[in-house]
Amino acid sequence: MANGLTLAFGCGFLLTLAGQALAGHAEYNNDLIATGLSPLPFGAYLLSTDFAVDVTENWQSEYLQFFLYIYATVWLLQRGSPESKEIGRAGTGTDAEQKTGRHARASSPAWAAAGGVRQVLYSRSLGILMCGLFLLSWLAQSIAGCAAFNEQHLRELQAPISWGQYLTAADFWDRTLQNWQSELLAVGSMAIFSVYLRHRGSPESKPVGAAHDSTGVEG
C-alpha cells in the first residue's frame, strides 16, 4: 500500500485520541464528584479546556522533537548512526547534491528549480512547518492551560490569574518541561542505540551486517 505508513499512524492517532478522551472524561468526572459537583457530559468534556490542554501539551512536544531533529541533523553528526549524515558532510550541501536551481531534474518540485526566495523557503519548508506547528500548539497549550488552571482556582475560591502570569507559573512549565525532557531522551536514545543495535528491514536501522561505525547507511 503506497500510503500504508500514513494511514496506519493516522488510524492509531484517532484511536488513541478517542481512548484519551474516554479516560480523561472519566477522571475529570471523578474529580468533580469528589468535590461535590455534577459530572460533565462527554460532549462538553471534549470542548473543555482540561481536554484541550492535555492534548496540545503532547502535540507541541512532538513537533518540537521533529523541528529540533530536522535542524540539528544538518550540522550535528553521530558516528555509526543511520539517522546521521556521513562524518565530514555536515552542512546544507551543494546545489548539485540537493538538485536545486540549474541542477533540478524534470521530476523535481517546481520551487526547487526556481531561484530566490521561493527556493530558499522550499529548501527549508519542512523545518519551517514543524517550527510553526510547534509554536501554534504551544500557544494553544498555554491558552487552554491558563483557562484550566483558573477554572481549578475558581473551584477552590482562589483568584484567577492572567495569561501573562500563567506563562511564568509552575503549572505551565511543569506541563511543558516534562514533555520536552521525554522527547529529548527518546531522540538521544534512538541516535546512540541505532549505532549498535539493528532492526532488519527498517530504514531507521542500518543493515544487520553493517559495521558499528558505518554512518548514514540505512537498511
Side-chain angles (χ1 to χ4, degrees), residues 5 11 27 33 35 42 46 51 54-55 58 90 92 110 113 116 123 128-129 136-138 151 174 183 186 201 203 210:
L5 193 60
C11 290
E27 181 182 10
I33 293 169
T35 55
F42 183 68
L46 293 181
F51 180 64
D54 285 345
V55 170
N58 287 295
T92 56
S123 296
I128 291 170
L129 175 64
L136 286 173
S137 54
W138 198 23
E151 182 181 328
D174 177 56
E183 299 303 332

Side-chain angles (χ1 to χ4, degrees), residues 53 55-69 130-131 133-139 141-142 167 171-189:
V53 71
V55 170
T56 54
E57 72 179 43
N58 287 295
W59 289 4
Q60 60 89 1
S61 63
E62 297 299 333
Y63 285 122
L64 174 67
Q65 173 193 145
F66 287 118
F67 160 62
L68 290 178
Y69 206 62
M130 292 298 148
C131 180
L133 291 173
F134 159 63
L135 293 175
L136 286 173
S137 54
W138 198 23
L139 174 63
Q141 176 203 331
S142 71
L167 293 183
D171 183 80
F172 175 66
W173 287 104
D174 177 56
R175 287 178 177 274
T176 294
L177 294 174
Q178 67 176 304
N179 283 280
W180 288 6
Q181 56 88 11
S182 64
E183 299 303 332
L184 293 171
L185 174 63
V187 172
S189 298

Side-chain angles (χ1 to χ4, degrees), residues 94-101 103-105 108 112-113:
T94 65
D95 285 347
E97 292 171 333
Q98 295 294 319
K99 301 180 179 63
T100 58
H103 299 283
R105 299 177 178 176
S108 298

Side-chain angles (χ1 to χ4, degrees), residues 60-85 91 126-128 130-131 134 180 183-195 203-205 215-216 218:
Q60 60 89 1
S61 63
E62 297 299 333
Y63 285 122
L64 174 67
Q65 173 193 145
F66 287 118
F67 160 62
L68 290 178
Y69 206 62
I70 288 166
Y71 276 91
T73 51
V74 174
W75 301 101
L76 302 180
L77 307 175
Q78 174 63 56
R79 184 180 299 277
S81 174
E83 302 293 325
S84 168
K85 292 186 290 189
L126 183 60
I128 291 170
M130 292 298 148
C131 180
F134 159 63
W180 288 6
E183 299 303 332
L184 293 171
L185 174 63
V187 172
S189 298
M190 182 63 181
I192 191 62
F193 290 155
S194 62
V195 174
E204 302 302 314
S205 166
T215 309
E218 297 179 346

